[in-house]
Amino acid sequence: MKILVTGGAGYIGSHTCVELLNKNYQVIILDNFSNSKKEVLDKIRFLTGKDMKLYEGNMLDKKFLMNIFQENEIDCVIDFAAYKAVGESVKKPVEYYTNNVSSVLNLLDVMQKSNCKSLVFSSSATVYGDPKTVPITEEAEIGGTTNPYGTSKLFVEQILKDLYQSDNEWNICILRYFNPVGAHPSGLIGEDPKGIPANLVPYISKVASGKLESLSIFGNDYDTKDGTGIRDYIHVVDLALGHIKAVEKLCKVKKGLHIYNLGIGIGYSVLDLVKTFESVNCVKINYKISPRRAGDIAICYSDPTKAKKELGFEPSKTLEDMLKDAWNYEKNS
């Protein structure tokens, strides 16, 4: 079975490609390397002992996309290709809507013309906005998003719902991630953004290694146990395995639109992460309290029951595992 993985050299994409290859899927990677590095492909090959095909380019180029489908009999697409920094999206909304929405419209058009109608879409818990209650189930109200990144995911989810309504031959799985962290246990691949990290754990890792001076914690006056924001963190390898479960689901049911939360169902605060990172890795993290960041909310964590029941997906790794693996990757890189 041939799987096209857009954004396949990125953080979540690379870990998912490892798991796909380990399960003997044929993998085709599409990436423009705007926020990833080509050397990760050699690491994927080393970890799996298998090769994959690469197309370097941009999904905004529809002719380029069509060429990929003409040259390969693609059975399913996993779409990771998106900008993902919440804070940056507030500053650059046009760039985020163009990249995260227009590219998907191109992809869907080409898939439709190529009669490839199986898609796993990388969405986000940000579509829930500032949730009225937690933990969050898939039936919770969506909308009221607090940043353009979240709104871009919300827009695409609606496009996918409209597409399925118009043509029930589509088979779509929308995965709403909570907060992916950690790295492959080998320490060979992990989250390595270009420039200053926008996400919490890689920033903590770089403070621990001395590459950055201190961590800014954005707000300590939220209505939480210690005043800092609470999130649901999931190990990136567990998340990658969730995508395998989603592909297996699409193979079994053949048609439908399915939505799942991928998280562990536990909320940890920013200070929980800092203290746990210090404890499990025996390092000190310098941090300071800064004003709240635009687009952030106080509490967001999942109810993962539906994914467990319908996908058979149950994360196995703990917060300690996540932070040990993140630090191991930072030391190796």
Side-chain angles (χ1 to χ4, degrees):
M1 185 174 181
K2 288 186 180 179
I3 312 289
L4 173 64
V5 184
T6 71
Y11 175 44
I12 304 170
S14 60
H15 288 81
T16 302
C17 286
V18 167
E19 301 305 328
L20 286 167
L21 290 166
N22 283 339
K23 291 283 188 178
N24 295 317
Y25 290 97
Q26 292 178 265
V27 173
I28 301 162
I29 291 177
L30 185 166
D31 208 298
N32 66 358
F33 301 101
S34 63
N35 197 32
S36 58
K37 297 173 182 176
K38 285 188 179 180
E39 50 261 38
V40 76
L41 303 178
D42 288 332
K43 295 176 181 179
I44 293 171
R45 294 183 183 101
F46 178 81
L47 288 170
T48 63
K50 297 173 183 175
D51 203 359
M52 76 295 291
K53 187 181 287 189
L54 170 68
Y55 286 87
E56 183 177 355
N58 197 308
M59 286 169 60
L60 294 173
D61 183 346
K62 194 179 287 189
K63 289 183 179 179
F64 167 72
L65 272 179
M66 183 60 77
N67 181 60
I68 296 173
F69 280 83
Q70 288 174 342
E71 292 183 358
N72 303 276
E73 293 183 7
I74 295 167
D75 298 294
C76 180
V77 177
I78 304 178
D79 181 27
F80 293 109
Y83 295 154
K84 62 177 186 175
V86 168
E88 183 182 61
S89 76
V90 175
K91 298 175 182 176
K92 299 180 177 180
V94 173
E95 289 90 333
Y96 268 69
Y97 289 127
T98 300
N99 188 73
N100 293 5
V101 181
S102 296
S103 62
V104 178
L105 289 170
N106 279 352
L107 176 65
L108 295 173
D109 185 38
V110 170
M111 288 179 69
Q112 196 159 241
K113 289 174 179 174
S114 305
N115 199 33
C116 174
K117 295 183 177 181
S118 291
L119 172 69
V120 178
F121 176 66
S122 167
S123 191
S124 167
T126 53
V127 301
Y128 294 114
D130 193 349
K132 293 180 174 64
T133 60
V134 289
I136 305 168
T137 70
E138 290 83 354
E139 287 70 41
E141 182 181 345
I142 61 173
T145 47
T146 59
N147 55 77
Y149 165 71
T151 307
S152 73
K153 294 296 186 181
L154 183 69
F155 286 168
V156 173
E157 284 202 14
Q158 186 60 54
I159 290 165
L160 294 176
K161 291 171 185 176
D162 291 342
L163 179 63
Y164 179 71
Q165 186 68 30
S166 72
D167 180 359
N168 292 153
E169 293 300 311
W170 278 87
N171 205 9
I172 298 167
C173 195
I174 295 171
L175 301 180
R176 292 173 179 162
Y177 309 163
F178 280 69
N179 291 70
V181 298
H184 193 274
S186 66
L188 287 177
I189 59 174
E191 189 167 11
D192 187 20
K194 294 181 179 179
I196 303 297
N199 293 332
L200 178 59
V201 172
Y203 204 109
I204 291 175
S205 296
K206 293 193 182 301
V207 171
S209 67
K211 294 175 184 175
L212 294 172
E213 184 177 344
S214 68
L215 169 71
S216 290
I217 295 178
F218 297 104
N220 67 343
D221 57 350
Y222 288 106
D223 185 16
T224 62
K225 62 181 183 179
D226 58 24
T228 64
I230 289 178
R231 299 290 184 271
D232 185 334
Y233 296 92
I234 180 171
H235 197 294
V236 66
V237 173
D238 278 334
L239 185 64
L241 291 169
H243 289 78
I244 306 299
K245 294 289 189 181
V247 171
E248 291 171 351
K249 168 91 174 182
L250 296 185
C251 291
K252 289 175 185 175
V253 298
K254 300 303 180 186
K255 59 184 70 174
L257 189 144
H258 320 277
I259 300 174
Y260 300 102
N261 289 336
L262 294 188
I264 64 170
I266 301 171
Y268 293 104
S269 74
V270 176
L271 285 176
D272 283 335
L273 257 71
V274 171
K275 292 173 183 177
T276 304
F277 193 102
E278 290 180 328
S279 174
V280 299
N281 296 316
C282 301
V283 294
K284 177 66 178 173
I285 305 300
N286 297 319
Y287 68 86
K288 60 184 179 181
I289 305 299
S290 298
R292 292 188 186 190
R293 184 173 57 179
D296 280 346
I297 60 175
I299 303 175
C300 182
Y301 65 95
S302 72
D303 179 340
T305 304
K306 185 181 178 185
K308 180 179 179 180
K309 181 180 178 181
E310 296 187 12
L311 293 181
F313 172 67
E314 192 168 8
S316 63
K317 295 181 181 290
T318 65
L319 183 66
E320 288 79 7
D321 295 328
M322 301 175 207
L323 300 181
K324 282 180 184 177
D325 287 342
W327 179 230
N328 185 41
Y329 173 71
E330 177 63 26
K331 289 186 293 183
N332 283 340
S333 63

